[in-house]
Amino acid sequence: MASEKSKILVVGGTGYLGRHVVAASARLGHPTSALVRDTAPSDPAKAALLKTFQDAGVTLLKGDLYDQASLVSAVKGADVVISVLGSMQIADQSRLVDAIKEAGNVKRFFPSEFGLDVDRTGIVEPAKSILGAKVGIRRATEAAGIPYTYAVAGFFAGFALPNIGQLLAPGPPADKAVVLGDGDTKAVFVEEGDIATYTVLAADDPRAENKVLYIKPPANTLSHNELLSLWEKKTGKTFRREYVPEEAVLKQIQESPFPLNIILAIGHAAFVRGEQTGFEIDPAKGVDASELYPDVKYTTVDEYLNRFL
């Protein structure tokens, strides 16, 4: 007899990625709860989103990251806690770690990650300091003895593909495309729903316990030059490519205002340093989601680009 699916609590479930995690958890048969500040919000869009949660069988739990009693109460009803909190609340996940430790029943914690592997990045400032908060939460989780999985996913497709990899551009190239570095370094682009699916699949998987879960589907691992060539083939147009050498990229990071400097620093780490792909996974520390779950029918970059034709 198959074991019962874990009860999953999603914290930050109404956010950009969080709504996908809630949907994937419910779709994959987990009893799913979402911690929300207001179960009947006046904002029509948020109210509509919460209704889709409830229609999918999701339980809404009224609570707040800054109300420890509500946090502990929510955590006590879960086997797995997945945090999808935004960048401004990363450090405050220490409250969630404290609640999980106090509750004492959680079998797996996924802190809010989903970008670069923060323990092995050489990303430059000011992004380095921001990602330092994620490092702090990792160490706090480990010190508390909480079983964990750190989900690392490269670029969100919805962020990097509408502009065909030009991170500061408002849309696809018209006549020229700006490329950081030489354009030959491989990066990873994953559709948000697929990130959520792989994350939830790992929730009950002992192979992912106390490991980094690297989400990098093979067909979605390609260089900026390859991405542009794919777009040129689809549109029948050719774009002039303007290559920005690393020194110029670093100078632009230093001179740009927030949040452009952060976006450029992430682009430098991915497109110039190759941090999303340029390494072998240490089996003692990490696992490849595509190898664990080869049957997942993920959205390829090729398919995703068809949305913009």
Side-chain angles (χ1 to χ4, degrees):
M1 188 173 117
S3 59
E4 286 186 16
K5 299 233 177 178
S6 59
K7 298 189 290 287
I8 292 181
L9 169 68
V10 183
V11 181
T14 60
Y16 178 75
L17 183 62
R19 62 193 65 197
H20 294 283
V21 173
V22 172
S25 179
R27 187 181 73 251
L28 292 169
H30 292 270
T32 305
S33 301
L35 187 74
V36 294
R37 289 193 205 91
D38 189 350
T39 56
S42 56
D43 178 349
K46 186 157 280 191
L49 177 63
L50 294 187
K51 186 177 186 306
T52 66
F53 287 178
Q54 291 174 306
D55 290 346
V58 175
T59 301
L60 303 181
L61 298 178
K62 190 175 173 63
D64 195 292
L65 184 63
Y66 306 101
D67 176 354
Q68 203 69 5
S70 71
L71 211 49
V72 173
S73 174
V75 166
K76 280 184 175 176
D79 302 310
V80 174
V81 176
I82 302 178
S83 172
V84 210
L85 290 165
S87 58
M88 303 308 290
Q89 291 182 296
I90 293 297
D92 291 340
Q93 288 180 110
S94 59
R95 296 169 179 271
L96 191 49
V97 171
D98 291 343
I100 292 170
K101 188 176 181 182
E102 182 180 334
N105 58 283
V106 169
K107 298 172 184 174
R108 192 82 61 85
F109 174 44
F110 290 71
S112 189
E113 291 264 348
F114 310 105
L116 293 166
D117 182 354
V118 296
D119 275 334
R120 48 166 305 281
T121 181
I123 197 167
V124 298
E125 292 289 9
K128 182 180 179 182
S129 295
I130 291 177
L131 294 190
K134 291 187 177 183
V135 176
I137 294 302
R138 285 191 180 192
R139 300 294 85 83
T141 300
E142 293 156 11
I146 299 167
Y148 62 83
T149 299
Y150 304 141
V152 168
F155 282 124
F156 292 177
F159 170 72
L161 293 184
N163 48 20
I164 322 297
Q166 304 174 103
L167 301 184
L168 299 185
D175 52 0
K176 74 167 184 178
V178 177
V179 180
L180 305 186
D182 62 12
D184 291 331
T185 303
K186 302 272 188 181
V188 181
F189 309 87
V190 194
E191 195 267 332
E192 289 78 355
D194 294 335
I195 294 173
T197 296
Y198 285 117
T199 298
V200 173
L201 286 172
D204 283 337
D205 193 337
R207 298 173 296 176
E209 182 174 324
N210 297 338
K211 298 279 178 71
V212 179
L213 177 75
Y214 293 98
I215 303 170
K216 46 179 200 172
N220 293 11
T221 302
L222 62 171
S223 71
H224 199 174
N225 280 334
E226 289 171 331
L227 179 61
L228 285 165
S229 294
L230 189 57
W231 182 243
E232 286 175 333
K233 186 177 177 184
K234 286 181 179 295
T235 60
K237 299 175 185 173
T238 303
F239 307 100
R240 180 169 57 83
R241 303 183 189 189
E242 182 181 295
Y243 294 95
V244 185
E246 182 174 16
E247 301 74 27
V249 177
L250 292 171
K251 187 169 185 289
Q252 196 175 354
I253 292 168
Q254 292 169 353
E255 294 174 354
S256 294
F258 178 87
L260 300 185
N261 50 5
I262 306 298
I263 294 169
L264 281 167
I266 293 168
H268 172 260
F271 285 130
V272 181
R273 290 178 53 86
E275 290 193 0
Q276 294 177 351
T277 58
F279 62 95
E280 294 292 323
I281 296 174
D282 179 351
K285 297 179 180 177
V287 287
D288 186 328
S290 299
E291 293 179 5
L292 294 187
Y293 317 112
D295 295 335
V296 171
K297 298 281 192 290
Y298 62 88
T299 301
T300 66
V301 169
D302 191 354
E303 292 163 345
Y304 197 98
L305 292 182
N306 290 336
R307 302 180 186 189
F308 312 122
L309 293 173

